[in-house]
Amino acid sequence: WEKMHSFKMILFPCHRRYPTVEIRAEAFNGSTHVAVPSDSAFLKALLLELRLIDDHIFVEHRDTCTRINHSSVYSVRTEGGDLWPVLAFQKSGLIYACLPLVEESLEPQPPLLTVTGLSQGLALLLGIVEYISPSRKNEAEMSTKIGQLRNLLIQACPLGTPLNTNIRSLNNSFDDIQEIPTDENQPAWRSNTYKGKPQVNICITEKVKCMQYDKRDVVDTWQVYGAVNCKCDIEGSAPNVTIGLNLPTNAPPLQDIVVHHCVTSVDPAMLTSTSAEPLDDSVFNGPYKFPFIPPSDSFNLCYYTSQVPVPPILGCYQLTEEGSQLKITVNLKLHESIKNSFEYCEARIPFFNRGPITQLEYKVSYGQLDLSREKSLLIWILGQKFPKSLEVSLTGTVSFGTADKGHPTDYVCTGNTAYVKLYFRIPDFTLTGCYADQHSVQIFVPGKPKITASRELISSDYYIWNSKAPAPMVYKTL
């Protein structure tokens, strides 16, 4: 989840509060903030709002005809004011409720669709329903599950943010969860303690986004952004780990670095290096060291960007109409600095706003050309390597039948405005050259840890536009 949301759980007799996120609510809501009352006061107010107590008495703020609720979102009146939005519903004799965080002022009330926490809260509550419901006819079993639920929520929603709404999947692991850390130095993000041989897994994933036009008056653009994912299985309540990232000599520096909250300290210059400014000699170029106390689960240690000098694959696409046919030419070249070893590499050539392809004549210098089942997409499979020349080409003519309502359409790509989109993955390679040195990983725990490191480059929105037609302006600004 990209944002934190606060949830107050009500499941008789189970509830859970997140005080740190209640403080966030006060900061977001400002003068419109309504504090969450005590558990008993909140429960009484919720039962009143749901007409489960005093249903025979007319309560003006609840029963007036001007207030008709069409959803499961309520405004619960408390001594401190109206608490909104409270998501609540009844299922099999139980009440499930939560209070999502609204990251803005509450006056006027924002539309429900803009409160992203509502959908997250509903997913979490439905996960609890799925966990509880099979035991609703067995009182002893239900009591046991409710007793386990509080511990399960530590994994599912550790700091007020739903990480896993499938509560049933956590059922077998509740015995390993420590509700109260045995060590006062154990950080909140380490919800359990690992037992076993220490091991650390590091994976650097870089994605490259590219827009190529093959035009003198339009500049090609490309971006690379990376994420360093870690999984640290280490004993101890607060183990210290340090991971370093390295770059080859004369490689462009890492920029726009964002680190995980578990990182304890970094060089300030690392965080101020930004791609918004031109590169100069003062740009921070390492070493990139990250000391941290790892969470129990897999997490992204940091994110970064870099201004690499060239895209991995250069391309040219030409599409012209000749009578009732389209003539296409595609040329691709792998840059000599790129590792020529792909897990997969293919070019997809879509034909929007036209009928199904009825005739196809083509010639490829390398690879295999397939036609999609709906006959609107050409798939050029290049396989796992480019030829020794590092260049491949495709030429052909395409004819179309009559389009029907079910055929693919696109409001941006009309006429000859079209593109080729590349999909590829190169294992054990990054465009920046960034890598994690296994020998530089420091772990201050007994025993010799097992360190594994991997890296990969993946395409993301890699477009080559038809140079014989104008590309949409929206793509020129990317």
Side-chain angles (χ1 to χ4, degrees), residues 183-423:
D183 189 333
E184 62 180 8
N185 295 321
Q186 180 171 337
W189 56 84
R190 283 187 67 83
S191 57
N192 54 34
T193 302
Y194 172 77
K195 297 293 183 182
K197 183 179 179 180
Q199 51 187 355
V200 174
N201 182 272
I202 308 165
C203 179
I204 302 175
T205 298
E206 286 187 357
K207 295 185 178 181
V208 57
K209 177 182 293 187
C210 190
M211 296 287 167
Q212 297 183 37
Y213 308 96
D214 192 34
K215 290 177 178 289
R216 291 185 178 180
D217 57 337
V218 183
V219 179
D220 295 345
T221 61
W222 57 90
Q223 301 170 327
V224 59
Y225 46 100
V228 182
N229 184 268
C230 297
K231 179 69 167 67
C232 301
D233 294 325
I234 304 172
E235 292 187 359
S237 57
N240 290 299
V241 181
T242 298
I243 290 178
L245 301 181
N246 298 332
L247 293 174
T249 304
N250 298 325
L254 305 184
Q255 297 177 284
D256 304 320
I257 298 175
V258 179
V259 300
H260 192 273
H261 61 76
C262 72
V263 175
T264 54
S265 65
V266 292
D267 191 320
M270 183 190 304
L271 303 180
T272 56
S273 178
T274 171
S275 59
E277 300 176 358
L279 291 174
D280 56 41
D281 294 337
S282 64
V283 172
F284 184 86
N285 56 6
Y288 303 95
K289 291 190 176 297
F290 302 88
F292 60 94
I293 300 175
S296 304
D297 299 318
S298 175
F299 70 102
N300 285 329
L301 176 64
C302 70
Y303 301 90
Y304 63 84
T305 67
S306 183
Q307 300 183 44
V308 295
V310 292
I313 299 177
L314 295 171
C316 172
Y317 178 35
Q318 295 183 347
L319 179 151
T320 56
E321 292 193 39
E322 294 185 356
S324 59
Q325 293 182 327
L326 291 183
K327 183 178 181 180
I328 61 172
T329 301
V330 183
N331 295 306
L332 302 175
K333 180 179 181 181
L334 180 68
H335 194 271
E336 56 269 16
S337 65
I338 306 303
K339 180 182 179 182
N340 189 10
S341 178
F342 294 79
E343 179 180 309
Y344 59 85
C345 182
E346 65 182 42
R348 299 187 181 184
I349 311 171
F351 296 97
F352 298 114
N353 310 309
R354 303 177 188 273
I357 295 175
T358 56
Q359 185 176 356
L360 172 64
E361 297 180 3
Y362 68 91
K363 179 181 180 181
V364 292
S365 65
Y366 190 80
Q368 172 185 334
L369 189 66
D370 292 337
L371 179 62
S372 65
R373 179 178 299 180
E374 65 275 10
K375 297 183 179 181
S376 62
L377 176 71
L378 296 181
I379 305 173
W380 185 11
I381 301 174
L382 298 172
Q384 297 180 325
K385 277 184 176 294
F386 273 65
K388 289 185 178 180
S389 65
L390 302 182
E391 297 185 32
V392 294
S393 63
L394 161 67
T395 58
T397 56
V398 187
S399 301
F400 302 90
T402 304
D404 54 31
K405 293 183 178 180
H407 208 70
T409 60
D410 188 282
Y411 295 104
V412 175
C413 298
T414 58
N416 288 353
T417 299
Y419 61 78
V420 174
K421 189 173 183 181
L422 299 187
Y423 297 82

Side-chain angles (χ1 to χ4, degrees), residues 20 26-27 58 88 95 156 182 311 431 435 466 469:
T20 55
E26 185 175 359
F58 177 78
I95 300 174
T182 57
L431 195 55
Y435 66 97
N466 177 23

